[in-house]
Amino acid sequence: MVRSRDRSRRRLAYRRRPNEFYWLWIAATATYGVGDIVSTVAFLRYVPTIEEANPVVRFALESFGLSGLVALKIAVYLVMLWISVEGAREGDGLLYYFPPVLLTLTGTYLTASNVRLLWLA
């Protein structure tokens, strides 16, 4: 039996392994979304003498307050989710896995960094 190479007939990666897709994005949400936002808010609230180091985040905070931070995070998250879904549709493993893994690693680093700075302040 010969398998068809027609991509339209293959099941998408997130449909073949939905639990994997959900857990990748749950980890990204927990670290990048919740962890970094909560630790940034705590840091900015309890250590007001220190400013946000990221100029894009600082601009969002200064212009729109905490809602600017949340909106920026949601925008980045949705773009990365779109890239991951497109990667699944194209059968590209790198584009499928890279966005949630990158957000998870980035969120873990940023959360740990914020907590460390909060602890040292």
Side-chain angles (χ1 to χ4, degrees), residues 7 10-22 24 84-93 95-97:
R7 288 185 177 173
R10 285 192 309 196
R11 288 183 55 199
L12 303 176
Y14 58 87
R15 291 210 174 122
R16 285 192 314 258
R17 298 181 304 270
N19 286 337
E20 175 187 75
F21 182 79
Y22 295 137
L24 286 167
S84 182
V85 170
E86 286 300 312
R89 287 184 178 149
E90 295 297 319
D92 187 333
L95 290 180
Y96 173 67
Y97 288 107

Side-chain angles (χ1 to χ4, degrees), residues 1-74:
M1 181 173 176
V2 177
R3 287 188 170 178
S4 171
R5 292 201 182 265
D6 182 12
R7 288 185 177 173
S8 64
R9 296 183 51 124
R10 285 192 309 196
R11 288 183 55 199
L12 303 176
Y14 58 87
R15 291 210 174 122
R16 285 192 314 258
R17 298 181 304 270
N19 286 337
E20 175 187 75
F21 182 79
Y22 295 137
W23 283 110
L24 286 167
W25 285 99
I26 286 170
T29 303
T31 57
Y32 181 77
V34 177
D36 184 38
I37 289 175
V38 169
S39 64
T40 299
V41 169
F43 185 75
L44 294 173
R45 181 160 193 105
Y46 295 112
V47 189
T49 57
I50 298 177
E51 293 182 359
E52 172 63 44
N54 184 326
V56 175
V57 174
R58 185 178 26 207
F59 174 77
L61 283 167
E62 289 172 357
S63 300
F64 306 104
L66 294 177
S67 59
L69 172 66
V70 173
L72 180 63
K73 291 281 188 179
I74 289 172

